[in-house]
Amino acid sequence: MNDSMPIIKAGDEIGNAAATKLVLRVAPDRVLVAAHSDVEPDSLISRELMLEGGTENYLCALENCIYDNPMLLLDYKRVTIAISSRRFMLVPCQMDDEQARAAFDALYGSVPGDTMVDVATRAGVKIVYQLQPGMLRFIERTFDRPTLHHHLWAVIEHFAAKCEGAAVSREMVYLHEGTADVCIYRRGSFCFANTYSCSDADDAAFYVLNAWRQLGLNPVGDELQLIGDRPVRDAIAPVLRNYITYVMPAIFPAASMRMGHDATKAPFDLILLLLLCE
């Protein structure tokens, strides 16, 4: 066990697990956790648990992380898990799951692990993505009937709702842990999403602008909204304003303020999972 890992003991902070929703994002090097009780005021907690063992022992590191933190194993009202998978594709909702998996195989070939299909109903797309070998089996035997999503699902669906009926096109960017999740909505209709690894703020600015130009957004009439990592936002916003007139912060969900006074300090996508997965 990693001595520096913050251990969360069962019962330390969860008063009534049966009334509490647990959400996780399983990333390549960490597990991000949030939990909130429907009956206890100001009950939101969030944690970041780092993995050890490297990519070759990823599943073992993930198992150790989960089992070393007993709070994650309580009998929750609902468990929702987002998987950070970079091997994914978007297809129209009109495709059935068999067709969606066939399209994924045509793009990536035969890959090890499980191919999952996630439905982003508001956006009108399915996200087809890969789970590493053994991960699905581990999740299903460890948690009680968990709901699985691709890591982009929550931001795609949230911003689809916020952009619905908009008269302008918008690029919505979520910055977190050296990553930029980018979604574009053309006059209210979803048309693009991708996730980029950004080693620094310059990389983030490049990917944001490249997506804007590829989708042909109007630099003087359309909007670019940013949320997430504050230092990165502060660094790239002045750069982006050299090319785009309307660069502004995205609004954090007002409903999250009822969860806890530190809601804005929790990962944005985990807050969305708690709000979306009722």
Side-chain angles (χ1 to χ4, degrees):
M1 182 178 68
N2 178 8
D3 291 336
S4 64
M5 180 181 292
I7 301 301
I8 308 171
K9 297 179 181 179
D12 276 358
E13 300 179 76
I14 302 298
N16 183 1
T20 299
K21 292 182 289 187
L22 175 73
V23 297
L24 311 174
R25 172 159 43 90
V26 178
D29 60 347
R30 71 195 73 192
V31 175
L32 295 107
V33 181
H36 174 255
S37 170
D38 292 336
V39 298
E40 297 178 27
D42 198 27
S43 61
L44 176 69
I45 65 167
S46 64
R47 296 288 185 271
E48 181 180 73
L49 308 173
M50 302 305 296
L51 302 182
E52 285 197 345
T55 56
E56 292 184 2
N57 300 306
Y58 180 77
L59 185 58
C60 180
L62 177 61
E63 291 177 352
N64 289 339
C65 176
I66 299 299
Y67 292 137
D68 284 347
N69 288 278
M71 187 206 83
L72 303 180
L73 304 174
L74 300 177
D75 188 13
Y76 287 97
K77 175 181 179 180
R78 180 184 295 273
V79 176
T80 305
I81 302 174
I83 307 294
S84 294
S85 174
R86 295 300 180 91
R87 187 172 283 173
F88 71 94
M89 68 182 301
L90 304 177
V91 301
C93 268
Q94 289 78 5
M95 279 191 177
D96 62 33
D97 288 0
E98 183 178 349
Q99 292 172 322
R101 288 189 171 92
F104 182 87
D105 290 344
L107 177 64
Y108 289 107
S110 179
V111 297
D114 293 282
T115 302
M116 311 295 291
V117 180
D118 201 0
V119 183
T121 305
R122 282 187 177 273
V125 296
K126 291 182 176 181
I127 311 172
V128 194
Y129 63 101
Q130 178 205 17
L131 289 186
Q132 293 195 21
M135 182 182 290
L136 180 61
R137 184 178 177 183
F138 163 67
I139 289 172
E140 290 182 336
R141 74 169 183 263
T142 302
F143 299 98
D144 181 25
R145 293 170 294 176
T147 299
L148 268 65
H149 289 294
H150 186 265
H151 74 274
L152 282 175
W153 177 84
V155 292
I156 287 175
E157 288 288 79
H158 172 73
F159 289 136
K162 294 302 178 184
C163 293
E164 188 174 0
V168 299
S169 299
R170 292 172 177 160
E171 179 174 350
M172 315 296 285
V173 181
Y174 171 37
L175 301 161
H176 60 100
E177 302 114 37
T179 301
D181 293 336
V182 175
C183 304
I184 295 180
Y185 302 82
R186 193 182 301 278
R187 296 185 179 274
S189 297
F190 172 81
C191 62
F192 174 86
N194 206 349
T195 186
Y196 303 97
S197 295
C198 307
S199 59
D200 53 35
D202 289 340
D203 276 356
F206 169 81
Y207 287 121
V208 168
L209 287 171
N210 189 57
W212 181 281
R213 290 168 174 166
Q214 282 187 332
L215 273 293
L217 272 63
N218 183 346
V220 297
D222 292 331
E223 297 177 1
L224 172 60
Q225 297 190 18
L226 307 172
I227 199 164
D229 192 312
R230 183 64 179 268
V232 179
R233 278 191 289 149
D234 290 345
I236 69 173
V239 176
L240 298 173
R241 290 191 180 104
N242 291 326
Y243 305 94
I244 299 168
T245 301
Y246 298 108
V247 179
M248 62 196 74
I251 298 173
F252 210 87
S256 68
M257 298 301 104
R258 296 191 291 270
M259 296 180 180
H261 64 279
D262 285 336
T264 57
K265 297 179 182 179
F268 173 63
D269 59 311
L270 296 192
I271 294 295
L272 296 183
L273 286 173
L274 286 169
L275 293 173
L276 291 169
C277 298
E278 295 295 338

